[in-house]
């Protein structure tokens, strides 16, 4: 598997590109900004984007999605529970004092247990509400890899003080959907360094 993570934008959201070495198809997760840098990686590996997955509709994760869709033709996928956040993109932009990006409803919704595949690579969507109501993780069981969005970080958990946030729900999502995964699963959070399920189970003070 081809796997590249690059922090993008003001808040350094981790955008991850997952590609299959044989089919050269790819999934891009959270293209929040810096689309030229994402495109350069896709080009270097000769990858064709098939799905654009948004872990949740905070501006730093979704702002570049429509731009990437226009360049690649790939559909944008996210959970419908985050539509209210998409509709208040101007408010989100004002939090960061940045211009309001053009955003769109999803081309297809992401729901719990759904499979997202490209030729040679397959993942499962885990609905993990709490940071936002539409937060999802992408789990690749073959690769022992979890893209956790802003639900779980190395040594921390997602903030719940923004609209749609709910601390009890967040902890419940992590306990039931994430900590049930094997210890050696590598976690790529929405921001900051990677970790593993085992490391967080042992040391995360919020859990
Ligand atoms: Zn967020």
């Amino acid at each position: 598997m081809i796997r590249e993570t690059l922090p993008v934008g003001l808040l350094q959201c981790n955008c991850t590109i997952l590609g299959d070495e044989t089919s050269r198809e790819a999934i891009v997760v959270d293209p929040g900004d810096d689309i030229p840098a994402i495109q350069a990686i896709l080009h270097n590996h000769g990858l064709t984007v098939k799905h654009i997955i948004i872990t949740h509709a905070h501006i730093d994760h979704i702002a570049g999605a429509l731009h990437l869709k226009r360049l690649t033709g790939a559909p944008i996928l996210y959970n419908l529970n985050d539509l209210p956040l998409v509709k208040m993109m101007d408010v989100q932009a004002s939090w960061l004092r940045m211009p309001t990006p053009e955003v769109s409803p999803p081309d297809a919704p992401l729901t719990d247990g759904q499979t997202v595949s490209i030729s040679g690579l397959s993942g499962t969507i885990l609905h993990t509400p709490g940071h936002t109501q539409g937060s999802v993780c992408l789990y690749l069981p073959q690769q022992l890899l979890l893209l956790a969005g802003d639900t779980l970080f190395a040594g921390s958990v997602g903030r719940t003080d923004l609209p749609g946030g709910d601390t009890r729900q967040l902890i419940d999502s992590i306990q039931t959907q994430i900590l049930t995964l094997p210890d050696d699963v590598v976690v790529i959070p929405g921001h900051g360094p990677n970790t593993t399920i085992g490391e967080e189970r042992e040391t995360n003070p919020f859990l």
Side-chain angles (χ1 to χ4, degrees), residues 56 58 60-61 131-132 150 162 191:
H56 64 291
H58 278 153
D60 50 324
H61 294 255
H131 175 62
T132 68
D150 286 2
L162 296 171
H191 302 267

Side-chain angles (χ1 to χ4, degrees), residues 1-187:
M1 180 179 62
I2 296 161
R3 182 182 115 196
E4 299 250 17
T5 297
L6 68 158
V8 297
L10 191 64
L11 299 182
Q12 296 285 280
C13 160
N14 283 330
C15 170
T16 296
I17 296 162
L18 303 170
D20 179 69
E21 285 162 321
T22 305
S23 68
R24 296 284 149 183
E25 293 182 355
I27 298 170
V28 178
V29 180
D30 287 349
D33 201 348
D34 299 336
I35 299 303
I38 295 168
Q39 257 204 309
I41 292 171
L42 293 167
H43 181 78
N44 286 343
H45 289 290
L47 292 170
T48 302
V49 183
K50 291 293 176 183
H51 304 295
I52 300 167
I53 291 182
I54 308 300
T55 60
H56 64 291
H58 278 153
I59 189 168
D60 50 324
H61 294 255
I62 199 175
L66 198 54
H67 185 191
L68 185 63
K69 176 189 169 178
R70 287 178 176 148
L71 291 169
T72 62
I76 297 170
L77 314 179
Y78 61 86
N79 184 272
L80 292 176
N81 290 352
D82 270 1
L83 269 181
L85 288 172
V86 171
K87 290 182 178 135
M88 55 179 281
M89 200 52 60
D90 55 337
V91 177
Q92 292 199 51
S94 73
W95 295 339
L96 299 179
R97 298 170 195 275
M98 62 182 273
T100 305
E102 197 184 346
V103 288
S104 68
D107 296 296
L110 289 178
T111 56
D112 188 53
Q114 181 178 339
T115 300
V116 178
S117 320
I118 53 175
S119 180
L121 199 63
S122 183
T124 304
I125 297 297
L126 309 176
H127 184 214
T128 54
H131 175 62
T132 68
Q133 289 305 300
S135 285
V136 300
C137 301
L138 176 65
Y139 178 48
L140 291 93
Q142 303 282 322
Q143 288 75 21
L144 292 173
L145 187 67
L146 181 78
L147 278 70
D150 286 2
T151 297
L152 178 66
F153 299 116
S156 188
V157 297
R159 63 189 288 185
T160 52
D161 57 328
L162 296 171
D166 183 324
T167 305
R168 282 187 65 169
Q169 194 184 30
L170 176 82
I171 298 300
D172 185 62
S173 287
I174 295 171
Q175 298 283 3
T176 60
Q177 294 272 57
I178 296 182
L179 293 187
T180 47
L181 301 175
D183 278 347
D184 51 350
V185 169
V186 170
V187 179

